[in-house]
Amino acid sequence: ADPSADQSSRLLRAFFAARESPAWDVTESRIVSDDKDAIQAAVTEWTAVGTGVDLVITTGGTGFAVSDCTPEAVKPLLQKEAPGLVHAMLAASLSITPFAMMARPVAGVCNSTVVITLPGSPKGAQENLSALIKLLPHACIQAAGSTSSRALHSGGIPALEKQAGIARSPEGVENLPPSVHHHRHGHHHHSHPHPHVHKPPKPHTANTLGASVTRRHRESPYPMLSVADATAIITKETSLGAIVSHPVSAALVGHVLAEDVTAAESVPAYRASIVDGYAVLHTDGKGIYPVTSISHAAPGPTAPLHSGQIARITTGAPLPPGATAVVMVEDTLIVETTADGTEELTIEILASDLHSGENVREVGSDVTAGAVVLRTGATVSGVGGEIGTLASVGRSHVKVYKKPTVAVLSTGDELVQHDNDTPLQFGQIRDSNRPALLSAIAAAGFPTLDCGIAADRPGALETALRGALAAADVVVTTGGVSMGELDLLKPILEQSLNGTIHFGRVAMKPGKPTTFATVPLGTAKKLIFALPGNPASALVTFHLFMLPALRKMLGAVPHELPRVSVVVEQDIGLDSRPEFHRAYVAFGPADGRLHAWSTGGQRSSRIASAGGANAVLCLPARDSVGDKRRELGVVPSGESLDAILWGQVGVWTGE
Ligand SMILES: Nc1nc2c(c(=O)[nH]1)N[C@H]1C(S)=C(S)[C@@H](COP(=O)(O)OP(=O)(O)OC[C@H]3O[C@@H](n4cnc5c(N)ncnc54)[C@H](O)[C@@H]3O)O[C@H]1N2
Ligand code: MOO
Ligand SMILES: [Mg+2]
């Protein structure tokens, strides 16, 4: 009777408008009288084949009053009834009020559209809808006949079934006959203006390749993941590299062993002297003895030693057979030389209480043949200990996990090679991401492949990506993953490369549009990190997401970068997103703690914020912290924060 009194419709529209990821688009609402034919006419129109409406909800007319006839009107239109939805609504309402016993909702599918009858009371309607809302995206996708994440870019049903749910079917409005199309966007109940009357119609495709800019998404269809969830997905999708045989050489450094290494031979392989001095029979004791032979650390036979004789010997040289101990030269005196004074003839042994084996390295006393000297999972460090151990037991090759080769591709028409010496044209910038990432990846020990710059055109991007995928195990791109009409990475990954986008947005600063995908290629599954174009965002997300994944492929345990507690030496401002604030971390000898300083302006375009940084401070979102920090909007100087280390910590010299 009075449309302005329609509370339920307003509340339900607000309910849908408040939901993001997935977003719902309420395209039309209408008031009809409690008349079975009028109700059926409206529902039939909206659920007709080809309209693309995913969901029709009614509110009102579900009770016991004489005029209540909504269930009677809707039920015969349903080709499939959904008693489960009805059950969920009733259960939710019954937990709130016993009057729910008198509700008579129906729910089901008509053509490709889900239809639900809600009660008329604003509160009841919202309670019932809340009970179903999590499941509705999935229900709509099923009803629309699409189950694949690929529909995201091909027709408007969002990815990730469990989270999805834009109120559209794959047919999309563009396929409608003109009359219906006109109706969908032209006909509105007079007192219920179209909710998007001030905006162009919502697009039904996310940067569909070849579609015009007017059809791009105005809200990202990708759910916003937490950093932890995004990390977990990457870890799950990342597998150990293949096991390969690698020469024991400097190039082995940084690899992780894929076998237990046993010693094929004993070290030492002969009884060797630990000191420079004289080999003796320990039972002979103090006294003057003739030097009857000489043993140097060199291959070759050594004459046997008998009681009453001694042999001059150097460190590491083989003991003459029969010798049982070695006396250091410092514990002897020279008694007699040859006439020309160049050779020793007799020596006085001053040491007493010699025991058998004194100053002797027995066979296998450093390493016994057959013993394990290095275990699977050991990292061959640059310290040299592992290479030295492998060399000492005679290994020429060892099994390791293959290091992934990483291809680096920059995208963007504005980019020029950094060392191009012609002056920049208006609108050009130098490509800083590629040299920065190539260096960071190489410094972390991974082989790299420079794939240059790809233009912001689907064909060029696809060709560049295919080349990178064919040549490398992991591909990293920068740019083209946000909301611009030339942000083409996501649609190309899905539509052209048959890839799966595992996530396309992360709740973090910088790095919000960080995208992670896998692409099947033959029997292999290649990883693609499509990082944001902003230079600081690219470096932060590389260290946070990609470097740990590369380390996992390598076999490193743990594969995460070290996380430590630091004392901040300045107030550090908090953002509404969890932030990774570039910082310099140094050890303070005075208090034995790690201290941190900001690298200055943190805007994601400012690559200098990563200059001098050896860590990022892990700042919680402002709203998530305790009262004091929230009020101040800062973590005050002197307080502690977690930091993720990117490089070696410095030492605080007090300056
Ligand atoms: N409407 C919205 N706009 C933007 C959003 C958003 O959520 N809604 N997110 C912003 C955030 S956050 C970031 S980060 C960027 C990400 O942008 P893209 O990944 O799409 O990258 P581009 O648009 O291609 O470039 C962004 C920026 O970075 C510069 N760039 C790109 N490549 C390089 C390179 N190799 N070396 C140096 N600089 C590079 C480029 O010129 C742009 O200035 O989107 C925001 N927008
Ligand atoms: O996430 Mo963006 O990386 O803030 O600039
Ligand atoms: Mg962009």
Side-chain angles (χ1 to χ4, degrees):
D2 174 10
S4 69
D6 180 6
Q7 300 267 13
S8 298
S9 161
R10 197 173 319 141
L11 208 70
L12 291 173
R13 249 191 283 159
F15 179 90
F16 279 114
R19 301 199 65 85
E20 327 179 345
S21 62
W24 292 81
D25 184 4
V26 179
T27 53
E28 192 166 357
S29 67
R30 193 181 295 178
I31 298 178
V32 297
S33 58
D34 281 319
D35 170 63
K36 201 172 154 187
D37 289 342
I39 296 168
Q40 286 191 336
V43 174
T44 306
E45 186 186 305
W46 284 336
T47 57
V49 174
T51 56
V53 172
D54 284 305
L55 177 66
V56 169
I57 55 175
T58 67
T59 166
T62 60
F64 280 19
V66 180
S67 61
D68 287 340
C69 65
T70 309
E72 287 66 34
V74 171
K75 192 168 176 168
L77 303 179
L78 301 177
Q79 288 129 4
K80 297 187 183 85
E81 284 196 60
L85 297 183
V86 171
H87 188 103
M89 288 193 277
L90 290 177
S93 297
L94 279 169
S95 71
I96 298 163
T97 166
F99 285 105
M101 276 185 257
M102 290 173 67
R104 308 178 300 114
V106 298
V109 179
C110 179
N111 295 324
S112 299
T113 308
V114 175
V115 184
I116 295 163
T117 65
L118 301 177
S121 92
K123 208 165 149 287
Q126 201 178 340
E127 279 160 5
N128 275 312
L129 188 56
S130 302
L132 305 182
I133 190 68
K134 279 225 178 89
L135 190 93
L136 279 180
H138 182 70
C140 289
I141 288 173
Q142 295 280 310
S146 168
T147 53
S148 149
S149 76
R150 311 190 53 68
L152 176 62
H153 289 304
S154 57
I157 297 291
L160 303 177
E161 280 192 22
K162 63 176 194 263
Q163 323 230 20
I166 290 174
R168 289 289 183 222
S169 79
E171 288 85 357
V173 73
E174 55 272 32
N175 298 335
L176 296 185
S179 60
V180 183
H181 188 271
H182 172 258
H183 174 83
R184 284 284 307 282
H185 289 282
H187 173 99
H188 310 299
H189 192 279
H190 292 301
S191 52
H192 294 264
H194 190 291
H196 290 109
V197 74
H198 299 301
K199 296 186 189 172
K202 257 203 160 179
H204 313 128
T205 55
N207 279 355
T208 295
L209 296 174
S212 65
V213 63
T214 55
R215 311 196 75 78
R216 76 170 146 164
H217 267 276
R218 306 203 87 79
E219 271 168 41
S220 173
Y222 294 92
M224 183 81 87
L225 265 59
S226 68
V227 171
D229 287 349
T231 306
I233 289 174
I234 295 171
T235 303
K236 184 169 153 275
E237 293 297 324
T238 306
S239 19
L240 265 179
I243 294 176
V244 292
S245 175
H246 195 290
V248 174
S249 65
L252 186 65
V253 170
H255 283 89
V256 175
L257 298 188
E259 62 167 322
D260 287 348
V261 176
T262 51
E265 45 201 30
S266 284
V267 182
Y270 53 89
R271 301 181 78 208
S273 174
I274 291 176
V275 294
D276 299 309
Y278 298 89
V280 301
L281 276 74
H282 72 283
T283 43
D284 281 353
K286 288 181 171 187
I288 296 173
Y289 296 95
V291 180
T292 57
S293 66
I294 299 166
S295 179
H296 285 160
T302 316
L305 195 73
H306 301 288
S307 180
Q309 303 177 328
I310 62 172
R312 195 163 78 231
I313 193 165
T314 58
T315 303
L319 249 64
T324 59
V326 181
V327 177
M328 289 171 78
V329 66
E330 292 90 329
D331 295 335
T332 64
L333 291 174
I334 184 150
V335 177
E336 199 183 337
T337 67
T338 50
D340 62 2
T342 60
E343 250 312 345
E344 301 172 339
L345 283 180
T346 55
I347 293 292
E348 182 172 2
I349 301 291
L350 304 174
S352 55
D353 294 338
L354 290 172
H355 63 81
S356 175
E358 189 157 338
N359 291 330
V360 177
R361 283 161 68 212
E362 297 296 343
V363 172
S365 58
D366 288 351
V367 177
T368 318
V372 175
V373 289
L374 287 169
R375 293 210 176 269
T376 303
T379 297
V380 179
S381 73
V383 166
E386 298 78 23
I387 297 266
T389 302
L390 289 165
S392 76
V393 299
R395 290 300 291 258
S396 67
H397 286 74
V398 68
K399 284 182 186 152
V400 295
Y401 301 102
K402 188 175 170 291
K403 283 185 176 179
T405 299
V406 187
V408 182
L409 175 70
S410 287
T411 74
D413 292 333
E414 76 277 34
L415 301 177
V416 294
Q417 173 75 20
H418 69 93
D419 52 6
N420 183 329
D421 53 12
T422 52
L424 293 182
Q425 287 175 34
F426 182 73
Q428 286 189 324
I429 64 161
R430 298 192 188 274
D431 178 2
S432 60
N433 287 347
R434 198 161 36 101
L437 287 172
L438 283 167
S439 316
I441 296 163
F446 298 96
T448 58
L449 201 71
D450 184 347
C451 292
I453 301 169
D456 287 323
R457 280 189 305 279
L461 274 169
E462 185 185 334
T463 306
L465 279 168
R466 283 192 189 281
L469 282 165
D473 305 297
V474 178
V475 175
V476 54
T477 66
T478 58
V481 287
S482 195
M483 299 291 288
E485 63 267 32
L486 291 179
D487 290 339
L488 297 168
L489 252 294
K490 283 167 161 130
I492 286 174
L493 289 173
E494 287 194 319
Q495 290 165 40
S496 309
L497 298 175
N498 194 27
T500 303
I501 292 183
H502 297 281
F503 60 81
R505 272 198 310 163
V506 186
M508 62 186 290
K509 181 188 175 181
K512 188 170 69 162
T514 302
T515 298
F516 171 65
T518 49
V519 173
L521 201 78
T523 55
K525 183 182 73 174
K526 310 263 172 145
L527 308 185
I528 298 194
F529 292 83
L531 306 182
N534 273 321
S537 317
L539 266 194
V540 166
T541 52
F542 165 75
H543 282 97
L544 212 68
F545 295 123
M546 187 170 156
L547 188 51
L550 296 178
R551 287 176 44 77
K552 187 177 175 200
M553 297 173 91
L554 186 67
V557 180
H559 62 271
E560 295 88 1
L561 302 188
R563 197 178 172 111
V564 298
S565 174
V566 299
V567 181
V568 294
E569 293 301 315
Q570 297 153 325
D571 290 357
I572 305 285
L574 294 173
D575 190 80
S576 59
R577 282 185 266 169
E579 188 176 1
F580 296 90
H581 188 119
R582 280 75 75 201
Y584 173 70
V585 169
F587 176 73
D591 61 359
R593 297 209 53 183
L594 294 171
H595 299 260
W597 293 261
S598 169
T599 54
Q602 297 286 308
R603 190 154 63 188
S604 54
S605 54
R606 185 175 173 262
I607 184 60
S609 64
N614 59 0
V616 278
L617 302 173
C618 306
L619 303 180
R622 183 171 177 165
D623 282 351
S624 71
V625 296
D627 276 351
K628 197 182 82 188
R629 287 180 176 192
R630 188 181 321 180
E631 228 167 78
L632 297 169
V634 299
V635 175
S637 174
E639 291 203 359
S640 295
L641 272 174
D642 276 4
I644 295 171
L645 296 180
W646 287 6
Q648 288 196 346
V649 299
V651 176
W652 189 6
T653 56
E655 284 161 33

